[in-house]
Amino acid sequence: MSTRQILMADDDADDRFLVQAAFEDNEIPNQIIFLEDGEQLIDYLGSNVQGSSPLILLDLNMPRRDGREVLKAVRSNKSWNAIPIIIFSTSNAPDDINSAYELGANCYIIKPSSYEGLREAVLNIQKFWLNTATLPA
Amino acid sequence: MRLLRSITEQKLSWFIRSLLGISLLLIVGLSYSYHKINKQLIYFSEKVNHTQRVISAVKETSSGLYEITFLTNSFLFLRDTTYINKSLAALSEFTRITSNLDTLVSDNTVQKQRIHILHKSVDVFREQSMVLLNAGEVSNQSDSFYITYKQLGVEATYIRKLLSDMTDTENMLLQNRLQSKENYSKQILRYNWLIMLVAVIFLSSAFLLLDRELGRNKLYRIELENKIEALARSNSELEQFAYVASHDMQEPLRKIRSFADRIRIKFGAELPDEVNMMLGKIDSSSRRLQSLIHDLLSFSRTVNSGSEAIRLNLSVPLGEARSNLSEIIRERNVTIHCDTLPDLEMHPGQITQLFQNLLSNAIKYQKPDRKPVISIHHELVTGEIIPEIKPAYQELHFHKIRVIDNGIGFKEEFSKKIFVIFQRLHDRNHFEGTGIGLAICKRVVSNHNGYIFAESAEGEGACFTVYLPADSSLS
């Protein structure tokens, strides 16, 4: 079992609550830290991360610093540019999806429109990103 | 109203054209007339010149006669033989001058007769002069000498008389010719002035009409530009609306579904059945609202959003649509017959959507126990057979594509209503759907400057007819 820390940046409190519930309902043991926008995420990365790199769940549309800016900042920072980033957004616009990958996202998930769907998406994240894929140290 | 305006516009344009045409004809006529006048005037002045030449030739003849008479008399009186040679030279010069007169008056019969007589007299005069000159050297003052001398005088007087008559005639001719030249110029000039006046009136009225039309056109253009601007504004508002609908409206809806879902999953077992049932209603209602918003969005996005139209065979988008529907086609065991389809200019994504919606409708609205059979026919037609077509398009060629099914059909009275967005003929328990499919079809066809119609009788299958322009008209 991976013990990798998960960071989630989303300005929407309901979404944070639902994702937390989905993690709990799937009984995923990994520690998950919630941040309310891109600014907080960058601050957190700068001050709190030691040891193995985290897995980031990133919303695109946020106040202060949005997902695109976070992608740019993380990808241009030498000690962070290997961190796997999963975009977790409501937008299904092709422009948003393409630009996210161009800016260095590793994966793009459209927020499911039901809780059932969300629970399944979270379970798949665990199965693939935490248990199947080998991530950088 | 617009038709009326276009008819009067057409009349006006013909009126202006005829005004301009008539003016042009008048101007051409005027130029021709001036050309004629010029020729006539040249002719007149040539005539006048000719008359003057005749008059001067007559004068020359007259003075030649004087010279000969003088020289002969001088010889006879002075007996100086040098006068004989001079007189003989003058005589031969006189012969040349009179024969010159010959050619000058060849066009006038009266003068010609006179010349004829003149020649005879001149011949007599010359003979008598020769007789006198020869006789004078040998002897003189005989009777016959006197007679000849007298006769010579008579002949000279007669010639002088002839010459003076000729001069009078020519003078009269000159007078007449000058008079008729003047009359002619006066008359034709008055006539030309009249034509010119008419031409100027026609030209200026055509100009005024054109000027007024140009002014009116400018107004129309400004009006049109304003409308285009308003349209662009409302389009951009629509795009903003689409964004708001896609993001902001779906967001709270997703939450409603997610939380209702979570309540059911987490606490479902502890809640009364009625609460679970109501949670299920919340879920299905919000799911339906989600699909309505989704369809509304795809409808509003079905515009020619920058994509270039390309020339492609219709079977390509049809194949795409069939492969998108392959699962249900296999499941329902659908048979599709299809004619050979033409190449045409299109936005392929939209045409795929068109076929997909028509095929999925044909499959969906089917009796459960019957095997769906769909046939697609193509023929090339001219615009005049299309109902409600704009008159300007009647001459164009169209591809007529019919999609015919053996499904449940619909009542004839609904054949227009089914293309209206969110209009449905059946309740959701029997046939699922939001009622957007045919509205999108209509929009796609309009985007391609085409027409779509539906006909059916209840229980007898439906036929959807699409007309797409064959002459490339998408730009």
Side-chain angles (χ1 to χ4, degrees):
Chain A
M1 269 293 183
S2 163
T3 57
R4 194 171 292 266
Q5 193 181 45
I6 297 164
L7 302 181
M8 178 173 186
D10 197 321
D11 59 312
D12 188 320
D14 294 337
D15 276 340
R16 295 199 297 268
F17 172 82
L18 286 169
V19 168
Q20 187 162 29
F23 268 82
E24 279 167 15
D25 289 352
N26 281 316
E27 293 167 355
I28 298 172
N30 299 55
Q31 187 198 10
I32 177 160
I33 311 279
F34 289 99
L35 302 140
E36 289 173 21
D37 58 42
E39 192 77 24
Q40 282 192 12
L41 177 68
I42 297 289
D43 288 350
Y44 186 86
L45 282 176
S47 57
N48 292 298
V49 175
Q50 307 102 11
S52 69
S53 68
L55 176 66
I56 295 178
L57 286 176
L58 183 62
D59 187 20
L60 276 186
N61 297 313
M62 292 183 289
R64 297 217 289 172
R65 215 170 197 184
D66 72 11
R68 296 166 198 84
E69 289 171 82
V70 172
L71 272 172
K72 277 181 216 160
V74 171
R75 287 301 176 238
S76 58
N77 182 310
K78 258 196 171 162
S79 47
W80 300 339
N81 61 9
I83 298 176
I85 298 178
I86 298 170
I87 301 296
F88 205 62
S89 166
T90 44
S91 168
N92 60 358
D95 280 356
D96 284 339
I97 297 167
N98 293 342
S99 74
Y101 280 109
E102 278 160 21
L103 290 172
N106 299 83
C107 173
Y108 193 109
I109 296 172
I110 297 167
K111 284 179 188 169
S113 55
S114 67
Y115 180 73
E116 197 56 59
L118 178 66
R119 207 165 70 161
E120 204 169 303
V122 166
L123 185 66
N124 284 333
I125 289 174
Q126 185 204 23
K127 277 186 186 161
F128 180 77
W129 288 100
L130 299 177
N131 294 346
T132 310
T134 305
L135 300 181
Chain B
M1 183 62 201
R2 184 179 296 167
L3 193 70
L4 200 72
R5 204 171 67 192
S6 83
I7 285 173
T8 50
E9 256 171 29
Q10 218 168 5
K11 271 188 182 165
L12 189 70
S13 101
W14 275 111
F15 184 59
I16 292 174
R17 266 179 226 182
S18 13
L19 277 181
L20 287 174
I22 293 170
S23 315
L24 195 70
L25 279 179
L26 287 177
I27 288 169
V28 169
L30 269 179
S31 318
Y32 181 70
S33 156
Y34 274 113
H35 171 71
K36 288 280 276 191
I37 292 173
N38 215 16
K39 257 173 97 176
Q40 195 68 26
L41 289 182
I42 287 171
Y43 171 76
F44 275 132
S45 34
E46 263 172 11
K47 280 282 176 195
V48 169
N49 276 345
H50 179 77
T51 313
Q52 273 161 351
R53 272 213 302 280
V54 173
I55 290 172
S56 79
V58 171
K59 264 188 194 154
E60 214 180 341
T61 315
S62 185
S63 63
L65 190 67
Y66 272 116
E67 198 184 356
I68 294 165
T69 321
F70 172 72
L71 286 171
T72 309
N73 280 339
S74 302
F75 164 70
L76 290 177
F77 286 112
L78 300 175
R79 292 283 156 193
D80 185 344
T81 50
T82 55
Y83 286 112
I84 297 181
N85 286 335
K86 281 185 184 170
S87 186
L88 284 173
L91 261 174
S92 74
E93 175 68 15
F94 184 62
T95 316
R96 196 189 59 78
I97 293 166
T98 48
S99 69
N100 197 20
L101 257 179
D102 243 9
T103 48
L104 273 176
V105 299
S106 60
D107 58 336
N108 188 319
T109 42
V110 180
Q111 298 287 62
K112 235 162 113 178
Q113 274 170 5
R114 283 190 183 129
I115 287 286
H116 190 65
I117 302 167
L118 179 75
H119 274 304
K120 277 186 182 161
S121 303
V122 164
D123 283 346
V124 174
F125 178 78
R126 191 173 48 225
E127 252 168 56
Q128 287 170 338
S129 297
M130 296 297 277
V131 170
L132 282 183
L133 287 174
N134 289 331
E137 218 172 322
V138 194
S139 66
N140 51 6
Q141 273 107 13
S142 67
D143 280 352
S144 68
F145 178 88
Y146 264 123
I147 292 165
T148 311
Y149 185 74
K150 260 188 179 169
Q151 277 173 347
L152 185 69
V154 172
E155 207 61 54
T157 314
Y158 182 62
I159 290 173
R160 233 168 261 134
K161 169 87 174 59
L162 262 179
L163 288 176
S164 120
D165 283 353
M166 282 180 80
T167 311
D168 287 349
T169 308
E170 286 300 325
N171 271 332
M172 212 163 68
L173 268 177
L174 185 65
Q175 206 64 35
N176 283 347
R177 279 170 183 169
L178 283 174
Q179 184 63 43
S180 60
K181 174 183 166 185
E182 201 172 324
N183 285 349
Y184 174 79
S185 325
K186 256 191 202 162
Q187 199 183 353
I188 198 103
L189 277 180
R190 205 176 303 138
Y191 183 60
N192 277 354
W193 270 112
L194 197 70
I195 295 180
M196 216 184 292
L197 192 69
V198 174
V200 165
I201 289 171
F202 275 40
L203 272 179
S204 40
S205 41
F207 174 77
L208 282 177
L209 283 172
L210 272 179
D211 190 55
R212 203 188 63 179
E213 275 311 287
L214 280 179
R216 209 186 282 175
N217 264 357
K218 197 181 165 193
L219 283 184
Y220 286 149
R221 211 184 54 227
I222 290 169
E223 202 180 319
L224 204 64
E225 273 165 10
N226 287 341
K227 279 194 177 147
I228 288 171
E229 203 179 307
L231 196 65
R233 214 171 27 238
S234 90
N235 267 351
S236 93
E237 275 163 12
L238 196 68
E239 261 168 47
Q240 281 170 18
F241 162 77
Y243 182 77
V244 169
S246 76
H247 191 261
D248 298 14
M249 277 164 73
Q250 300 219 42
E251 198 62 26
L253 205 52
R254 191 169 55 84
K255 302 271 179 61
I256 294 172
R257 272 194 76 188
S258 296
F259 281 105
D261 226 6
R262 170 124 169 100
I263 295 172
R264 230 165 21 135
I265 289 165
K266 193 160 186 186
F267 308 106
E270 306 157 26
L271 291 170
D273 284 352
E274 206 183 345
V275 177
N276 270 324
M277 186 270 285
M278 285 190 273
L279 283 172
K281 293 276 182 207
I282 291 174
D283 186 60
S284 67
S285 291
S286 35
R287 198 181 318 176
R288 181 157 168 72
L289 186 53
Q290 261 177 346
S291 67
L292 281 171
I293 290 172
H294 177 263
D295 286 352
L296 194 60
L297 263 178
S298 47
F299 180 74
S300 74
R301 276 183 192 148
T302 313
V303 286
N304 299 333
S305 48
S307 74
E308 283 279 308
I310 54 168
R311 201 169 175 80
L312 203 63
N313 194 280
L314 263 187
S315 62
V316 177
L318 175 64
E320 189 98 349
R322 285 175 74 158
S323 96
N324 292 345
L325 296 170
S326 57
E327 206 168 311
I328 189 164
I329 288 176
R330 206 177 325 110
E331 216 171 84
R332 298 292 312 269
N333 204 3
V334 182
T335 313
I336 300 177
H337 301 291
C338 184
D339 285 356
T340 315
L341 294 176
D343 287 353
L344 60 89
E345 202 126 308
M346 65 169 99
H347 299 281
Q350 293 187 24
I351 298 292
T352 302
Q353 188 74 52
L354 170 74
F355 277 128
Q356 194 169 322
N357 293 359
L358 290 178
L359 291 180
S360 71
N361 266 6
I363 299 167
K364 183 157 83 177
Y365 296 104
Q366 182 62 267
K367 288 174 189 151
D369 53 334
R370 206 192 297 171
K371 192 166 111 48
V373 178
I374 302 169
S375 37
I376 300 169
H377 298 292
H378 163 255
E379 59 186 298
L380 192 63
V381 298
T382 50
E384 61 201 7
I385 69 154
I386 304 173
E388 297 161 32
I389 191 168
K390 288 180 207 150
Y393 293 171
Q394 276 180 358
E395 312 255 302
L396 298 181
H397 289 90
F398 284 82
H399 293 295
K400 177 182 183 183
I401 293 128
R402 282 177 301 153
V403 179
I404 302 169
D405 65 53
N406 61 340
I408 58 170
F410 54 85
K411 284 190 190 136
E412 192 63 42
E413 64 202 79
F414 296 123
S415 63
K416 283 216 159 52
K417 202 176 169 189
I418 53 173
F419 291 109
V420 178
I421 189 167
F422 295 142
Q423 287 289 343
R424 309 193 66 246
L425 303 181
H426 306 275
D427 69 65
R428 285 198 306 278
N429 298 331
H430 285 91
F431 294 101
E432 266 188 28
T434 53
I436 195 94
L438 289 174
I440 288 180
C441 288
K442 178 138 186 141
R443 189 146 194 183
V444 167
V445 173
S446 306
N447 284 347
H448 287 77
N449 296 329
Y451 299 85
I452 185 168
F453 301 98
E455 44 189 324
S456 173
E458 198 153 26
E460 289 181 19
C463 171
F464 286 87
T465 309
V466 176
Y467 297 94
L468 295 171
D471 320 299
S472 78
S473 62
L474 301 172
S475 51

